[in-house]
Structure formats: C-alpha cells, structure tokens
Amino acid sequence: NKKGGKRKERASSSHVMMEQNSNLKTLQFIPFTSAPKIGFWQALAKKKLEEWQLDEGGKEIEGYYWPGSLADLPPRLELVASSISSSNIERPNGAYYVRGDVYVVNTLDRFKAIEKEAILKKARSVDCPSFVLLVFADMKKQSYVYWFGFPTFALSPPAQLSTSRSLKDELIARDSSIELFLQSIESVFPDNKKYEQPLFAVRITPKVIKVVTLTQVDEPHSEEWLFCCIDPSSQAEPGWPARTLIGFLGLRFALKRATIACCRLDVLQDTQQAFCNGICSQAFTVHMNDDTTSSLLGWEKNAAGRMGPRRIDMAPLTHPAELAASASALNLHLMRWRLMPSLQVDKVSTISCLLLGAGTLGCCVARTLIGWGIRNITFVDNGYVAYSNPARQWLYTVSDCAQNTSKAVAAAKALEQIAPNSTASPSRFTGVQLTIPMPGHSLTENEIKDITRLAQLIESHDHVFVLTDTREARWLPTLLATAAPNQPTVLNVGLGLDTFVVIRHGAKSNLGCYFCNDIVAPADSTKDRTLDQQCTVARPGLAPIASAMAVELAIALLHHPLGHAAPADSEQILSKHTSNDPNRPLGILPHSIRGFLTHFTTVAPATNKFHQCTACSDTVVAHYRQDPIGFVTKVCSDPKILSHITGLDTLADDFDADAFLLDEDDDDLATITSLSS
C-alpha cells in the first residue's frame, strides 16, 4: 500500500527529527492583549448607527502596537477612534499597524451561534499579522460583548529553539552591523511605509544587504536569510508576530530551520539600552516541522483566563450628557435602518429654530423639535410663568411660578436639563424676553427697540414658528420673515376651542401667509374682552396635536429638493402619495392643515399669495424696507394704514352683498354663487 508506506515514512521522519531535537527547548510566544479605547467604541457605535446599520459583513479596521512593550507588561494591540476611520487616518506616532476586520452582529444569539473558525479563516493575510473582532453592540445600554482573534497557523509539533542571542551579535557573526541593517531597511521602506511592514526578510551577503517582503523571498532555504518581525514583546519570549512569521515560513516554504530576528526599540530607535529594562532585540534559530498545517487558532482568552468573549459597559464610563445625546439620537438612526432610509438625520439636527411664544404651543413645539435631534432653539416671550401654566405648559414647574421667572428664560433652562450640552450633540438653547410689536398697540421706547431685535433673530434662524396668542401678534413676524434676506420657513400655528390651523409660507414660494385669506387688517383683539376671551381656551389635547403637525411638516419640507419653497401638493398627490416618492420621503407637503377635534379629521387646503395681503404683499414689504422702524411704529398706532396702502379699504367699499345669492344644491350643501358668472 503506497499511501500507508508514505504515512509510515513521514511519521518515521518526524520521529527521528524529534529525537534529534529532544535536547531543544520549545519556543514559547506571548500573545497580544487587546486594548480597545473608549473612543474606539464610540466610533464603532457611530458607524453602526449611521452607516453599517444591519450589515453584519466584515469591515476593515486597524490596530496598533509598539515594538518592545513596557517591561513586565504583555504586548498590547490598541484600537482607538481613528482605527475605524475609512480615510484620513491619523495613526499614533511610532506605532506599527495591523489590519483587521470587525464583524458587528445584530443580536446576542447571533454572536453565540456564529461559526468562530470561519471568522478566523477570513483573516486578511497569512504573510502579515492580522486580527478579527466579533462584536455585539447593545446600543440602548451602551454595552458591548466582543471577542478578539489573532489568527495564526497551528504549529504541530511546536517550533524548537536551537540558539538565542542578541540581534547585534547575530549581525556581527554575519559580518554586518546594526547601522547597515537599519540603513538597508530605511532605503526599502521609507518612513511613510515602514510602519506597514511588521514582517520582512533580510538577505545578508559579504557584499550587500537585501531587504524584501516575505512574498519576494527567493531561495528561502539559504542560510543567508534573516527573517524579521517587529516584536512587541520585551520578554525573553517573542511576541505573536514571530509566531505568525514562523507559521508562514513552514506553510509557504516548508522550512525546517530558520533564523528569526525580533526587532525591538533598542534597534529601531538606536538606543544603547533596552526599553524600560526589557530584553533587547533577539535573534532565534528555530527548528520547525515541515508538516505545518493550514488550520488556524488565535482567539483571545477573557479576563478569567478562559476561552470566551469579554464585555465592556460604557455607561459608567461616559458623562451623563453624552449618554443622553447618544440615547436621544438612537431612535432617529434606527428609523433609517429599515423604515425610512432616506431620512437625513444630520441635516435635520443642524437647523436653527425660533419659537415666538413660549406658552402651551411653544412648549409642545420645543419638545417635538428635541425629539428630532434639533439643539439650536431660541424662545421669545415677554411673559412670566404663572401658576396656571405648569399643568399644560410642560417646560415649567411651580418653583418657576414662585420665583416669577421669565417664560423664555425658564423654557431654555428646562431644555438644557432635557437635552444637556455634549460633545457629540452641542446644544444652544436661548431665552429672549421681548415684546412683539402689534398693530393697534402703541409702542413704548423699549418696544420700538424690540423691532430691530426681532428682525435680527428672524434673520439668524432657519425656521420661525409663530405661536402667539393673538392674531395681531403674528403680523410683524410674518412681515419680517418675508422681508428677511435669508427667507426662513415660517409656520403659523393657531388654536380654537377644538380646532387648529397650521400654515406655512416663505418668500421663495407663491403660497399665502396667515393673513392672505383676510380682507381685514389686524387690530387690537384684546380690547373690551372678558377673561375667557382674553385667554387661549382650548381642549388640552389640541396643542400637542397642532404642534406635532407643525414640526412634522417642517421636517418633511427639509427633505424636499426645494425646501420650504416646495409647492403645495395637489389633491391628486394627497390621495395617491406613496412612501417611494423621492421628493416626499416623509409624506405629503400641504400648504395648510386644518384640524377638527370634534370630528377627529383634518383637511389640507391650499391658497395662493394675495396681492393685497396686509403682511406679505409686495406693497407692505416695500413700505417696511423703506423705513422699518417708522413704518412699524405707525401701523402699531393706526392699523388702518395697512388697509389703506394695500387697497383693502377700497375693496370693502366696492363689495356689494346683493351681488351674491345663497343657493342649496341637491345635497343640501350651501354654496356662494356670483350673479355675474
């Protein structure tokens, strides 16, 4: 039997070699100890949420080690925030880097069930140190279960140590020197490349020193070759790169004997003494079995010294503000994984919002904006927190009432507690106590100054939410936003007892503003009113509904190519819209939303800009730009000026009520029909 004869011959050969080398010592290796930093886990979490999402495939990362680790400490493979970057990597000074792959699985059961040997076989290279990292990331709890693997070939029987001496002595024995050795390496691997070559080969002849990568080695059995590795160990035993090197030589070249040079800091930095009293660079002559198998091993032991994964809980190590920011963003990023891939989380989080009014609507709008990750919010209000406020205005407490705190200031401070400032999500919550000038309300000297302050605030924000109690308080913000050079998105939200309206407009669109449907100029609506007429009396659930509608409309507009200049959707689009519409990934974009709580219904009517509007018409804007302070002051003293300059007074005089009839159709629905038609 030929096969049986070969097996016996091979076994006999191995037995003879073992007998010959029975006086040799088994060469031991010191494995890497993984050392992922906090920044690495933070970077991994960010990648998982924003880019990798549900993908469990391998992703390229880098680890770093330094030659000749600190004495009495095991070799460490460090992973930092830049380890996970795909470009513009800033590597630590003097570190040699090792390429690896990270596999982030989606469940703990998947982590347990995945074939570990198959992961090792996916290692990037056999002629260079590499690693794999298997991770389950619990994003809610900021906890990570992970297992590092440092793949290397199984050596059976183990490599045997014949001789060991310093690298300096080895080079002298070969009629060479440390200086020539380093010069040859640097001539082949310049500074920007040498840290990529932890394994290489040097052929030393009487005339020349030849430095090559392992794959370029010719005549590998020649005694002139010195196989080198950048060794992280400072002990008598070499580190894991040496084992990778020996395994490669046995499998690739079937070598039975080789000299391994372990280069450490004393050589690489040309120091006279070993680093921190560690062992100097060594040269080992080893004997190997030429039957090296291709099976891999290398999973790291856990802290208990057993084969198994490790766990790190980042929550106790992270500032509460950072935890809050991360948890707040989690829901938004998870929406992108399956349900809403086109959601632009970063775009939404960078907008600035001005909330004119810090009452019930202001508090509801602010909380919804916070939910969308928006951290640049400014409140404007001239009131103080009253005891009637905390029940429905969620940002206030009874202590604010007792201290007679400004609403705008108290609201901003409350948001700071809800969404504290963090490095990952910087916050800017501001409260401005300011009176909005209104038609029909004469101005004091300080209120006249508020005109300029309000204009500056509107010009410095992307979105303006007009959430005031009275109709006339909405006039100046609407005018200022129309005249502003930045042309912000304006959303007016108004409440009745059981009805609400949300209406958008912007200077770039031809859509009507809050006042475009009126033929009466705004005036003092609080004069001669009873208490129930002076207050905004509305069903408690109405403000949250209207506020949510306004914010959701604003976010949906951000995802349209035209932004707030997007046209109002027609009835056809309203009825046939699908989530696959690339211009409307978050839904339809109505001009206005009118809700009726008594029927639990909404309608979405659209109206064009009215050329005689008292707030956004070209005539009113032109008068304002000609004399901003003077014009607003006059209108506040005499609102009839608006009717006069827009021609609404003439329109009212020309109106003939007898020119219309009230008819009823077959469905008993009243309609207005012009006789002239």
Side-chain angles (χ1 to χ4, degrees):
N1 189 319
K2 294 183 179 180
K3 291 185 178 179
K6 287 185 177 180
R7 279 199 299 267
K8 289 180 181 180
E9 181 181 349
R10 193 172 188 176
S12 176
S13 175
S14 297
H15 180 70
V16 171
M17 186 184 72
M18 291 180 65
E19 285 186 348
Q20 292 175 347
N21 297 335
S22 60
N23 61 334
L24 301 181
K25 178 182 177 182
T26 298
L27 183 60
Q28 302 291 329
F29 304 92
I30 302 178
F32 275 119
T33 297
S34 62
K37 303 299 183 181
I38 292 178
F40 169 77
W41 295 118
Q42 292 172 338
L44 183 140
K46 183 177 176 64
K47 284 282 188 180
K48 169 70 174 174
L49 281 175
E50 298 179 3
E51 296 183 27
W52 301 342
Q53 300 178 7
L54 295 170
D55 185 2
E56 293 184 342
K59 308 296 186 302
E60 182 178 351
I61 59 175
E62 288 185 359
Y64 310 100
Y65 75 89
W66 285 260
S69 300
L70 293 173
D72 301 324
L73 289 180
R76 292 160 57 88
L77 184 75
E78 293 191 0
L79 282 80
V80 296
S82 61
S83 296
I84 215 160
S85 301
S86 57
S87 61
N88 299 323
I89 297 176
E90 294 183 5
R91 299 184 174 95
N93 291 331
Y96 286 76
Y97 61 91
V98 180
R99 297 190 185 278
D101 291 281
V102 60
Y103 299 83
V104 184
V105 296
N106 294 309
T107 66
L108 187 57
D109 289 337
R110 172 66 173 157
F111 182 94
K112 295 176 181 178
I114 197 169
E115 182 61 42
K116 307 300 188 296
E117 186 176 354
I119 295 293
L120 281 182
K121 288 181 178 179
K122 294 179 181 179
R124 290 193 162 268
S125 176
V126 296
D127 62 345
C128 196
S130 63
F131 69 95
V132 294
L133 172 58
L134 182 62
V135 181
F136 165 64
D138 188 336
M139 310 302 290
K140 282 189 174 181
K141 297 180 180 179
Q142 295 287 311
S143 175
Y144 302 86
V145 178
Y146 66 97
W147 202 351
F148 274 87
F150 304 100
T152 186
F153 295 113
L155 303 177
S156 179
Q160 302 293 310
L161 176 62
S162 173
T163 62
S164 173
R165 56 184 171 185
S166 71
L167 179 57
K168 180 179 180 180
D169 291 340
E170 178 69 27
L171 293 173
I172 291 175
R174 294 170 178 256
D175 295 326
S176 186
S177 66
I178 291 291
E179 291 75 20
L180 290 175
F181 180 77
L182 292 177
Q183 288 175 9
S184 301
I185 295 174
E186 291 175 357
S187 65
V188 176
F189 304 133
D191 285 341
N192 62 333
K193 291 293 184 181
K194 69 179 182 181
Y195 297 114
E196 301 179 15
Q197 300 293 336
L199 303 183
F200 54 95
V202 178
R203 189 170 191 174
I204 302 176
T205 63
K207 295 183 178 180
V208 67
I209 296 180
K210 179 182 180 181
V211 180
V212 298
T213 63
L214 294 183
T215 55
Q216 297 172 328
V217 172
D218 56 355
E219 300 180 1
H221 293 81
S222 171
E223 294 289 335
E224 296 173 343
W225 283 110
L226 192 61
F227 298 99
C228 306
C229 69
I230 305 300
D231 188 18
S233 173
S234 60
Q235 307 301 313
E237 298 82 8
W240 212 243
R243 175 164 187 152
T244 302
L245 176 59
I246 292 173
F248 172 81
L249 296 177
L251 185 67
R252 179 70 175 269
F253 301 130
L255 293 183
K256 296 181 180 180
R257 183 176 183 276
T259 302
I260 309 299
C262 295
C263 304
R264 300 172 180 174
L265 275 183
D266 61 305
V267 167
L268 299 174
Q269 293 188 359
D270 197 21
T271 57
Q272 296 299 317
Q273 295 182 345
F275 184 54
C276 291
N277 298 319
I279 304 299
C280 296
S281 297
Q282 299 289 299
F284 302 96
T285 301
V286 296
H287 292 265
M288 300 169 286
N289 184 5
D290 59 357
D291 190 27
T292 301
T293 66
S294 59
S295 60
L296 295 171
L297 51 81
W299 286 107
E300 182 183 25
K301 294 181 179 180
N302 59 24
R306 296 189 293 268
M307 296 300 295
R310 301 174 181 235
R311 180 190 296 270
I312 181 171
D313 185 2
M314 292 287 292
L317 306 176
T318 309
H319 192 278
E322 303 291 343
L323 286 176
S326 175
S328 177
L330 180 61
N331 181 63
L332 299 176
H333 288 290
L334 292 181
M335 285 194 287
R336 296 183 64 242
W337 285 19
R338 297 182 194 267
L339 303 176
M340 203 178 295
S342 57
L343 179 63
Q344 301 179 45
V345 176
D346 292 338
K347 183 177 182 179
V348 171
S349 64
T350 57
I351 68 170
S352 57
C353 296
L354 177 64
L355 276 54
L356 301 180
T360 306
L361 285 172
C363 291
C364 294
V365 168
R367 289 303 301 260
T368 311
L369 290 173
I370 289 294
W372 274 107
I374 296 170
R375 297 293 183 267
N376 189 344
I377 299 174
T378 301
F379 293 94
V380 170
D381 203 295
N382 71 337
Y384 297 86
V385 183
Y387 284 98
S388 60
N389 295 151
R392 294 203 287 185
Q393 299 177 14
W394 305 333
L395 297 180
Y396 308 127
T397 63
V398 174
S399 62
D400 294 324
C401 309
Q403 298 172 15
N404 196 32
T405 309
S406 163
K407 275 191 169 184
V409 174
K413 289 184 177 180
L415 289 189
E416 290 175 355
Q417 296 298 314
I418 297 167
N421 187 48
S422 67
T423 303
S425 182
S427 301
R428 181 185 175 276
F429 303 125
T430 308
V432 179
Q433 191 165 12
L434 180 150
T435 299
I436 299 176
M438 299 176 285
H441 300 255
S442 298
L443 302 180
T444 65
E445 184 176 346
N446 287 334
E447 291 172 344
I448 292 175
K449 295 179 181 178
D450 287 342
I451 299 172
T452 302
R453 293 179 64 196
L454 181 60
Q456 292 172 344
L457 287 170
I458 289 176
E459 290 178 8
S460 61
H461 289 77
D462 303 313
H463 285 64
V464 178
F465 291 84
V466 185
L467 314 167
T468 55
D469 289 336
T470 62
R471 176 172 174 265
E472 61 267 28
R474 302 170 186 273
W475 173 77
L476 184 57
T478 303
L479 168 60
L480 294 178
T482 305
N486 63 317
Q487 300 178 331
T489 303
V490 179
L491 293 111
N492 265 281
V493 186
L495 300 179
L497 172 63
D498 48 26
T499 61
F500 70 85
V501 61
V502 175
I503 186 167
R504 66 176 172 100
H505 89 276
K508 293 180 180 179
S509 69
N510 193 39
L511 299 176
C513 74
Y514 185 84
F515 295 92
C516 279
N517 290 330
D518 295 338
I519 58 172
V520 179
D524 186 356
S525 62
T526 62
K527 186 177 181 180
D528 196 25
R529 294 291 185 97
T530 59
L531 181 61
D532 64 317
Q533 293 173 319
Q534 294 177 25
C535 300
T536 302
V537 180
R539 291 170 62 170
L542 195 64
I545 296 173
S547 301
M549 290 283 190
V551 174
E552 293 298 325
L553 178 56
I555 302 302
L557 285 169
L558 283 174
H559 290 75
H560 192 280
L562 298 178
H564 71 265
D569 285 337
S570 63
E571 289 295 331
Q572 184 178 7
I573 294 178
L574 293 176
S575 61
K576 296 183 178 180
H577 172 267
T578 66
S579 59
N580 295 326
D581 187 340
N583 292 336
R584 300 169 180 82
L586 272 66
I588 61 173
L589 302 173
H591 172 221
S592 63
I593 307 167
R594 296 180 184 270
F596 307 91
L597 206 52
T598 53
H599 295 75
F600 296 97
T601 58
T602 59
V603 295
T607 56
N608 289 330
K609 186 175 181 179
F610 181 36
H611 71 281
Q612 290 179 276
C613 176
T614 57
C616 72
S617 65
D618 294 342
T619 301
V620 175
V621 173
H623 276 77
Y624 167 77
R625 287 175 173 167
Q626 185 176 358
D627 182 13
I629 302 299
F631 175 69
V632 174
T633 303
K634 291 177 182 178
V635 170
C636 291
S637 300
D638 183 9
K640 294 180 180 179
I641 293 176
L642 293 174
S643 298
H644 177 68
I645 65 174
T646 58
L648 286 182
D649 52 356
T650 306
L651 181 65
D653 293 340
D654 293 342
F655 180 76
D656 183 0
D658 294 334
F660 292 84
L661 290 178
L662 182 62
D663 293 338
E664 293 185 357
D665 60 13
D666 295 336
D667 296 325
D668 295 330
L669 296 176
T671 59
I672 302 293
T673 307
S674 173
L675 284 177
S676 59
S677 62

